[in-house]
Amino acid sequence: MFRRRESVPFSFVAESERFRSNVTPPPRPRSTVSERAGRVLIGLVVVGGIAGSLLLGLPALGPGQAPAHTQQTEAAHGR
C-alpha cells in the first residue's frame, strides 16, 4: 500500500538546523566513594588480567628449544 507522507515546509527544515534550546539539563550527580572504588577495582582487575596473560603467555610464544635427544624406533637402529 502507499503511505501518505505529510509535506514539510522548506522554511521549517532550514530553521531546525539553527535551533538551540535555552533549557539547560540538570547537573550530573557526583559519584560516591563506593562508585569510584568500584571503578578503580575494575580497572585494576583488567590491568592485572592483561599483565598476567602476558607473563604466562610470553614464554609459550618464545622460540622453543630443541629436545635434547630424539626418539627413534627400534627399526631405525638396525639400518
Side-chain angles (χ1 to χ4, degrees):
M1 298 282 309
F2 295 107
R3 289 187 179 179
R4 181 176 170 228
R5 288 186 152 195
E6 304 257 340
S7 63
V8 178
F10 180 77
S11 62
F12 176 75
V13 174
E15 289 177 8
S16 67
E17 295 176 3
R18 290 181 284 148
F19 179 74
R20 298 280 186 243
S21 175
N22 60 354
V23 178
T24 58
R28 295 178 69 181
R30 298 185 74 181
S31 60
T32 62
V33 175
S34 61
E35 288 175 343
R36 280 187 244 147
R39 289 182 190 141
V40 168
L41 283 175
I42 289 174
L44 287 175
V45 166
V46 169
V47 169
I50 292 172
S53 66
L54 283 174
L55 287 175
L56 295 176
L58 282 179
L61 293 174
Q65 296 178 355
H69 76 314
T70 57
Q71 292 182 346
Q72 294 181 352
T73 61
E74 291 181 16
H77 288 294
R79 294 185 181 195

